[in-house]
Amino acid sequence: MGSEKAYYITTPIYYVNSSPHIGSTLTTLAADMLARYQRMQGRKVWFLTGTDENAIKVHRAAQERGVPTQQFVDELATEFQQAWKTMHIEYDDFIRTTEPRHVRVVQEFFRRMQENGDIYKGIYEGWYCVSDETFFAPSDVGEDRLCPNAECRRPLQWVQEEDYFFRLSAYGDRLLRYIDEHPDWLEPEFRKNEVIAFIKQGLRDQSVTRANPGWGIPVPGEPDKVIYVWFDALINYVSATGWPDDMERYQQLWPAVHLMGKEIFVRFHATLWPAMLMSVGLPVPERIFGHGWWTIGGEKGSKSKGNLPHPVQLAKDIAAWSGAEFDIAVDAERYLLIREMQFGLDSEFSEESFRKRYNSDLANDLGNLLNRTLNMVWRYADGRVPQPLEHNAELAQLAEDIDKGIAEEVYRFRLNGVLEQIWRMVSRLNKYLDEQAPWSLYRNGEVERAQGVLYDVLEGIRLCALWLAPTMPVATARIWEQLGIGTQPVQANWQAESAWGRLQPGTSVQQPQPLFPRITEEALAVTTEKETEMEQSNLITIQDFQKLEIKIAEVKSAEPVPNTSKLLKLTVDIGGEERTLVAGIAETYSPQDVIGKQIVVLTNLQPATIRGVQSQGMLLAAEVDSKAILLTPEKPVPVGSKVR
Ligand code: MSP
């Protein structure tokens, strides 16, 4: 690595409690697209992604699967790496927080912050959400004792333990000043305002350790404590640079541009992290961008809900619907994910709108343009790039404007805007062909004019492929190949190639081969037939079943729900955690009958309020003559045992 400062771009490191989906793919893809764009600009680039492995919920997920935690995280880290590779994502480094290179640096951060008096010991008393791995003060939590995060709403754990605290409260003013003096630091603008409001309401000191649950980075010298997973995770961006051992490498990389979803923008990336860096005397990140979510029916799509597809599965689906080659389908998915997301805002995910967009943008606008142009080149110019009639000032100007437009959209992280810019040219070329009608010119004997039009369109397509290369590295290489260009756009130098008129007349083009075959109703019918068969036969897949979290619970207390003869309110222990259930068993059981009984409970059901009581799960029972008969294990088992 030379001495020039690199464009250092990062994604969040993903929790390895389950597989990648198109949410994590979106951020990783955005980083890949920006990295490729900057590489094509001739900049040195360093693109970091990775996995967050020390979380309590990761440890729990491993225990639930009955696998040693290290083996579990190894498997999932590999799955992430493979998924990114399949999705044509080219990172330079993949950091895992269980690696010694990271653990060392986290402990060093801790030590330095302790030395400068920013870390002190105290008693933490408050709520903790294991799913969000977030502390909540009692004042943030309602009577329901559920996670205040509207997207989570899971039961919280009451924590009372001796912990270390970071003096975050001392950094509010410095952070506000930094934000004020660096207007482009936080993007988008409206989310910056959320950060300002969050800091202005007063920052509380942050607990940065937890009682050791048997997994995590130990606090130096105090093995009964581990470092709080967010404190640990954020440091990955610095530990991957080699700091403090390899200062030369660190200097070339740090500071970084951070991309992430909005849920971890305000509190963690734009507040806690810069304050931690200020505390150890390191520069804060270069830029921080928080994008919106893929939503389904207006709600955040997530792994726990299991409603966002795995990126590789979606690519397989696109290939099956369209008949496109798999690697082209991957690129199509990349295009669709970027194009359908309003960067900054939430966007609704639907297969239907992806298919529509595929047909309109890729099959019609771009694919068909390439196809019909090459056909005409064979018909009217012997399969060679013809001579331009004259310099097409209008298209050249448009190209220059688009080039500038792309740079602006990239600067503001509006990646869908980049594609909209490029489509100004795609649409113009389609219209230009129709206006000029080279087929009529040729028929009327104006061969040179017909050929001149074809040159302009081919040249326009060449540029579109150049600009699209960061989004679709493989498909755009095919386009250049069909144009007879011997190099790949993704390897090209953007500035050198972006001048209008670089396509060499005389170059032999290839026979047109449809790149993005249209998705037809017939093809769709065939691929959905299998799914329909399954639905009709009432079968579910093993993956569907695995989404259910069923456990053995013990009934601690029971009481009737007022004004109904059917319901009992139960408090059950599901293994170190208590839940309230509202169950329709009062016609068969009195409260005394069930106290102390072991029962079977579905624990990951969305909470529902029944007769004013919040039910956080559902017990399983046999139905006999419309009455419920409880299921219990054949012999007593440890409470919390998983049912499979
Ligand atoms: N481990 C933490 C991050 C630590 S970074 C120092 C974490 N991991 S996560 O696995 O939950 O990943 C969260 C990130 O995944 C989001 O910030 C976003 O980048 C991506 N997404 C998860 N769900 C998403 C959507 N529904 N839509 C868009 N992006 C989504 O938080």
Side-chain angles (χ1 to χ4, degrees):
M1 193 175 275
S3 60
E4 174 203 347
K5 162 82 177 81
Y7 175 80
Y8 179 28
I9 182 142
T10 71
T11 74
I13 46 173
Y14 304 105
Y15 288 128
V16 283
N17 56 341
S18 59
S19 309
H21 54 58
I22 56 160
S24 37
T25 308
L26 177 79
T27 323
T28 321
L29 181 57
D32 186 59
M33 187 173 157
L34 290 168
R36 288 178 186 275
Y37 174 80
Q38 297 293 352
R39 277 189 214 117
M40 288 175 73
Q41 299 293 328
R43 281 188 75 173
K44 193 167 67 184
V45 170
W46 199 253
F47 165 18
L48 173 75
T49 186
T51 40
D52 190 348
E53 304 185 353
N54 297 318
I56 300 172
K57 63 175 172 183
V58 168
H59 186 45
R60 287 210 182 145
Q63 286 174 324
E64 273 166 23
R65 268 257 315 269
V67 216
T69 309
Q70 189 62 50
Q71 180 191 326
F72 179 78
V73 297
D74 287 349
E75 280 170 16
L76 272 153
T78 310
E79 190 185 335
F80 272 88
Q81 289 167 345
Q82 279 168 350
W84 300 155
K85 187 155 183 260
T86 309
M87 294 309 296
H88 305 156
I89 288 166
E90 256 181 36
Y91 50 78
D92 296 290
D93 191 5
F94 189 99
I95 190 155
R96 300 181 51 189
T97 53
T98 47
E99 286 176 80
R101 63 164 170 160
H102 173 72
V103 172
R104 241 192 348 257
V105 177
V106 170
Q107 292 176 333
E108 182 62 18
F109 250 72
F110 192 86
R111 215 182 43 75
R112 291 199 188 193
M113 288 165 75
Q114 219 172 4
E115 254 171 35
N116 69 22
D118 265 352
I119 282 187
Y120 64 91
K121 210 176 229 181
I123 300 289
Y124 180 78
E125 200 175 3
W127 296 100
Y128 193 75
C129 173
V130 176
S131 176
D132 283 348
E133 300 284 7
T134 304
F135 292 97
F136 291 102
S139 55
D140 294 338
V141 176
E143 272 180 19
D144 55 12
R145 296 175 179 180
L146 297 180
C147 179
N149 166 12
E151 296 296 326
C152 178
R153 305 300 286 153
R154 289 185 182 77
L156 294 167
Q157 243 185 20
W158 180 256
V159 177
Q160 191 180 29
E161 60 191 29
E162 183 194 68
D163 279 326
Y164 281 96
F165 288 80
F166 166 41
R167 232 177 271 287
L168 179 61
S169 57
Y171 285 89
D173 290 343
R174 271 181 76 180
L175 286 168
L176 287 174
R177 211 172 322 123
Y178 194 88
I179 295 172
D180 189 44
E181 286 166 3
H182 301 83
D184 293 352
W185 188 46
L186 304 177
E187 295 272 359
E189 182 78 15
F190 66 91
R191 250 188 253 297
K192 167 164 71 176
N193 298 332
E194 287 173 29
V195 176
I196 295 173
F198 176 70
I199 300 175
K200 279 196 174 154
Q201 90 191 355
L203 295 177
R204 274 190 290 262
D205 287 355
Q206 168 75 46
S207 166
V208 292
T209 60
R210 292 295 321 270
N212 189 347
W215 185 249
I217 301 184
V219 171
E222 291 190 53
D224 63 325
K225 295 185 176 48
V226 292
I227 308 256
Y228 168 47
V229 70
W230 266 102
F231 184 92
D232 147 2
L234 288 162
I235 295 172
N236 89 86
Y237 303 130
V238 164
S239 55
T241 68
W243 181 91
D245 302 328
D246 188 347
M247 286 308 280
E248 200 185 324
R249 190 158 174 275
Y250 158 79
Q251 297 283 2
Q252 285 161 29
L253 296 182
W254 193 254
V257 174
H258 296 318
L259 306 184
M260 80 249 24
K262 64 181 185 182
E263 79 287 0
I264 56 176
F265 177 77
V266 176
R267 206 173 165 140
F268 296 114
H269 283 84
T271 305
L272 177 61
W273 177 226
M276 285 166 63
L277 288 160
M278 286 172 177
S279 169
V280 287
L282 295 179
V284 299
E286 190 176 315
R287 308 273 303 281
I288 311 177
F289 171 69
H291 62 70
W293 296 325
W294 287 121
T295 57
I296 305 262
E299 282 183 32
K300 182 181 183 225
S302 72
K303 353 188 196 200
S304 50
K305 289 183 207 139
N307 54 4
L308 288 183
H310 191 289
V312 177
Q313 184 55 48
L314 183 56
K316 283 184 186 159
D317 289 345
I318 294 173
W321 300 330
S322 63
E325 226 178 278
F326 180 72
D327 275 325
I328 299 297
V330 165
D331 272 14
E333 180 183 343
R334 289 170 59 106
Y335 174 86
L336 296 169
L337 284 171
I338 298 290
R339 183 63 184 80
E340 289 285 283
M341 170 59 57
Q342 287 288 320
F343 272 84
L345 306 175
D346 289 349
S347 306
E348 182 74 5
F349 169 76
S350 97
E351 287 186 351
E352 177 66 26
S353 55
F354 268 44
R355 284 195 291 260
K356 278 202 183 123
R357 176 70 74 182
Y358 173 96
N359 273 349
S360 69
D361 289 15
L362 298 178
N364 285 358
D365 294 353
L366 181 64
N368 209 16
L369 173 70
L370 175 67
N371 239 37
R372 61 179 182 143
T373 309
L374 287 178
N375 261 319
M376 288 189 273
V377 173
W378 280 100
R379 241 179 287 146
Y380 312 143
D382 291 332
R384 286 176 191 276
V385 176
Q387 286 289 339
L389 199 60
E390 59 195 355
H391 176 72
N392 190 322
E394 186 236 347
L395 291 179
Q397 184 59 48
L398 179 62
E400 212 179 301
D401 292 351
I402 291 174
D403 197 354
K404 277 202 206 101
I406 293 175
E408 276 161 32
E409 301 289 0
V410 162
Y411 183 73
R412 295 285 171 199
F413 303 98
R414 287 189 299 246
L415 300 186
N416 55 310
V418 170
L419 301 179
E420 282 164 27
Q421 287 286 337
I422 301 171
W423 247 251
R424 289 168 64 195
M425 180 60 90
V426 175
S427 309
R428 181 68 197 114
L429 294 175
N430 274 306
K431 208 155 151 246
Y432 182 67
L433 262 186
D434 293 343
E435 284 166 8
Q436 299 292 325
W439 47 92
S440 308
L441 293 171
Y442 189 79
R443 223 183 299 123
N444 298 339
E446 294 182 78
V447 177
E448 280 180 12
R449 271 191 67 194
Q451 292 182 339
V453 171
L454 292 181
Y455 177 88
D456 291 344
V457 178
L458 289 171
E459 173 59 357
I461 297 175
R462 182 191 70 85
L463 279 172
C464 291
L466 175 81
W467 298 327
L468 280 170
T471 319
M472 298 195 283
V474 175
T476 52
R478 292 293 174 76
I479 297 179
W480 273 25
E481 219 175 280
Q482 295 201 22
L483 297 182
I485 305 171
T487 51
Q488 293 189 6
V490 76
Q491 310 284 355
N493 179 289
W494 189 286
Q495 299 315 335
E497 291 294 339
S498 60
W500 180 266
R502 280 185 61 91
L503 187 62
Q504 286 308 310
T507 312
S508 298
V509 303
Q510 290 187 349
Q511 287 291 344
Q513 288 154 4
L515 201 53
F516 301 108
R518 237 189 117 68
I519 300 175
T520 59
E521 288 303 323
E522 295 75 48
L524 206 55
V526 175
T527 51
T528 46
E529 202 171 305
K530 270 199 245 139
E531 290 163 27
T532 322
E533 260 171 35
M534 251 169 58
E535 273 164 27
Q536 280 171 352
S537 64
N538 201 16
L539 294 178
I540 61 166
T541 63
I542 185 74
Q543 285 80 9
D544 290 334
F545 177 73
Q546 279 167 347
K547 284 183 206 154
L548 306 178
E549 202 178 271
I550 308 177
K551 289 182 180 172
I552 299 297
E554 192 166 297
V555 182
K556 292 293 176 196
S557 65
E559 59 188 84
V561 174
N563 307 324
T564 156
S565 57
K566 295 207 163 84
L567 301 175
L568 287 188
K569 176 180 160 190
L570 311 179
T571 308
V572 301
D573 179 356
I574 61 163
E577 189 188 323
E578 288 206 336
R579 293 277 181 98
T580 303
L581 307 182
V582 177
I585 56 170
E587 286 177 323
T588 348
Y589 300 92
S590 70
Q592 292 79 348
D593 295 336
V594 290
I595 294 174
K597 250 199 177 32
Q598 291 206 327
I599 57 170
V600 183
V601 176
L602 175 65
T603 53
N604 65 339
L605 189 68
Q606 270 194 359
T609 305
I610 306 170
R611 302 255 170 178
V613 184
Q614 205 191 45
S615 184
Q616 305 155 342
M618 183 175 86
L619 58 72
L620 302 189
E623 193 181 298
V624 183
D625 298 335
S626 309
K627 301 230 169 78
I629 307 294
L630 285 176
L631 301 186
T632 59
E634 181 260 331
K635 56 181 174 216
V637 298
V639 173
S641 296
K642 196 174 163 172
V643 175
R644 319 187 266 194

